[in-house]
Amino acid sequence: MWGCGALLGARTRSRLWREVLVAWGRRWSAAAPYSASAEPSRVRALVYGHHGDPAKVVELKDLELAAVGGSDVHVRMLAAPINPSDINMIQGNYGLLPKLPAVGGNEGVGQVVAVGSSVTGVKPGDWVIPANAGLGTWRTEAVFSEEALIGVPSDIPLQSAATLSVNPCTAYRMLMDFEQLQPGDSVIQNASNSGVGQAVIQIAAALGLRTVNVVRDRPDIQKLTDRLKSLGAEHVLTEEELRKHEMKNFFKDMPQPRLALNCVGGKSSTELLRHLAPGGTMVTYGGMAKQPVIASVSQLIFKDLKLRGFWLSQWKKDHSPAQFKELILTLCSLIGRGQLTAPACSEVPLQDYQRALEASMQPFVSSKQILTMC
């Protein structure tokens, strides 16, 4: 198993991937540049026929590869992460549920093998990611419509491409859309070691924003603190530290945050509200504690705090595909400049999916599980 915390290792592997896969893509495109005439491939996919415990309902199955129509793209998947939204979708408690049976996975990166005769946006050898959730990325290959895909540069690290379309997009939009922040302003967030949290730290640093990052206490808290600070976190606090009376002096040395990002709910979100500047906004994008957000009357009346929610799927419904592609390319430019890296992750072969699913649901796991297809 490879870890992708080391940037050099990730870049080296991405270069090797490109050399092998570009050659592989050329072989395919030379044989069948615009057709479905290639010999049928053995497609392996993680499928669930009903909702429930992912470890029990997800199965590795063989699927038949559909024919490539005029507006279709044959994609060989390279890597796909396991996100909390993937788990929630399988459990049946997410805001978007595909028709069953379904292939798991909302995010990932693949390489174009062949294209239909009317496809103009991508070509064999290109890297592509899903344009929307529900595509079903936990599979070795598939035929998708061109409009379901977005081309991305193939010179970015593989793990960055595989984890690009959900967490970094969520982080960027929350930082940009709710408060008009200026360099030197501060942001406070919980679940700071999550995929979104790590992206918030890096994007905020690139924008000149200061971050206060709250995490749950754990045995390896110093190791986690060091990692988050290496990404650009200015302060890393535990939930317990945030509740201490001494915190009243904390913001004498930095401005009170005008933006709080909440992925937990319950007491954790109440603490974020307590430290927000008057007129500030708390944006909720997750509910890990499965407890409601509670705001006191005094916070709403005397501090005029605003409570908002964010869901990337809704943002994409409210904006054009061109705007989402622009967002993706903005993030790719940050990746290219070394200002945004993939979250800490562990690569797991597709056939070992049970191990990956179990690891993704364990508490205090800061390493995202990424399914590799080769």
Side-chain angles (χ1 to χ4, degrees):
M1 181 190 299
W2 289 324
C4 59
L7 184 58
L8 178 61
R11 285 177 173 168
T12 300
R13 288 199 304 280
S14 292
R15 186 178 68 252
L16 293 174
W17 266 105
R18 286 194 294 275
E19 291 172 355
V20 172
L21 293 171
V22 167
W24 182 89
R26 285 172 180 163
R27 175 171 62 83
W28 263 94
S29 59
Y34 291 110
S35 74
S37 61
E39 294 182 5
S41 299
R42 181 169 179 254
V43 178
R44 308 211 76 195
L46 296 180
V47 180
Y48 58 102
H50 57 277
H51 297 298
D53 180 355
K56 296 179 180 178
V57 301
V58 174
E59 298 178 277
L60 183 59
K61 293 187 175 183
D62 291 338
L63 300 181
E64 182 179 344
L65 188 66
V68 179
S71 60
D72 291 335
V73 180
H74 178 187
V75 177
R76 180 163 191 224
M77 294 305 300
L78 305 178
I82 300 176
N83 290 316
S85 58
D86 300 322
I87 299 298
N88 293 338
M89 192 174 283
I90 295 168
Q91 293 169 333
N93 52 16
Y94 194 63
L96 172 67
L97 298 177
K99 182 179 178 181
L100 300 181
V103 177
N106 293 299
E107 187 178 36
V109 61
Q111 185 176 45
V112 176
V113 174
V115 300
S117 57
S118 63
V119 172
T120 58
V122 295
K123 62 185 183 303
D126 286 354
W127 280 13
V128 290
I129 64 173
N132 291 296
L135 194 63
T137 55
W138 296 350
R139 61 177 111 194
T140 54
E141 55 187 306
V143 173
F144 301 119
S145 66
E146 182 183 11
E147 65 181 13
L149 303 169
I150 295 176
V152 296
S154 60
D155 60 352
I156 62 176
L158 183 72
Q159 294 82 10
S160 294
T163 58
L164 177 60
S165 63
V166 177
N167 294 334
C169 293
T170 296
Y172 187 89
R173 293 267 55 102
M174 291 193 301
L175 287 170
M176 299 297 292
D177 294 352
F178 295 93
E179 289 285 342
Q180 299 301 309
L181 301 175
Q182 302 296 324
D185 287 345
S186 66
V187 176
I188 189 169
Q189 66 166 340
N190 55 24
S192 303
N193 60 309
S194 67
V196 171
Q198 292 179 59
V200 164
I201 290 170
Q202 295 177 84
I203 296 170
L207 296 173
L209 304 175
R210 307 169 70 178
T211 55
V212 180
N213 303 279
V214 184
V215 297
R216 290 181 294 175
D217 198 4
R218 64 196 65 208
D220 62 344
I221 185 64
Q222 190 57 52
K223 181 179 178 181
L224 175 60
T225 297
D226 293 343
R227 167 158 174 76
L228 296 184
K229 287 191 173 182
S230 74
L231 296 178
E234 182 166 349
H235 298 283
V236 179
L237 305 171
T238 65
E239 298 275 4
E240 291 75 15
E241 289 172 328
L242 192 66
R243 296 189 185 103
K244 289 184 177 179
H245 182 70
E246 291 80 9
M247 281 299 299
K248 68 177 183 179
N249 298 317
F250 182 84
F251 290 105
K252 289 183 178 180
D253 298 324
M254 67 183 301
Q256 270 190 293
R258 289 174 32 220
L259 179 66
L261 305 177
N262 167 47
C263 185
V264 180
K267 293 180 180 179
S268 179
S269 58
T270 301
E271 288 299 317
L272 295 188
L273 285 170
R274 193 161 68 89
H275 296 290
L276 263 183
T281 301
M282 184 174 78
V283 182
T284 294
Y285 66 98
M288 293 170 56
K290 295 182 172 58
Q291 296 174 353
V293 171
I294 299 176
S296 70
V297 170
S298 63
Q299 288 172 332
L300 297 177
I301 294 177
F302 302 122
K303 292 183 68 177
D304 190 25
L305 299 184
K306 299 180 285 292
L307 304 182
R308 300 289 302 277
F310 182 83
W311 185 30
L312 182 63
S313 293
Q314 186 62 50
W315 184 91
K316 287 195 281 189
K317 289 179 182 178
D318 296 338
H319 296 77
S320 68
Q323 288 173 301
F324 182 56
K325 185 171 184 178
E326 181 182 359
L327 170 58
I328 291 293
L329 294 179
T330 297
L331 294 170
C332 285
S333 68
L334 290 175
I335 294 170
R337 294 197 297 268
Q339 295 176 306
L340 178 62
T341 61
C345 61
S346 299
E347 297 177 4
V348 181
L350 183 66
Q351 62 267 25
D352 294 336
Y353 71 95
Q354 287 280 11
R355 172 161 57 91
L357 287 172
E358 291 171 3
S360 69
M361 293 185 285
Q362 293 298 314
F364 304 123
V365 175
S366 299
S367 182
K368 182 176 291 294
Q369 305 296 299
I370 293 189
L371 299 168
T372 56
M373 310 307 168
C374 295

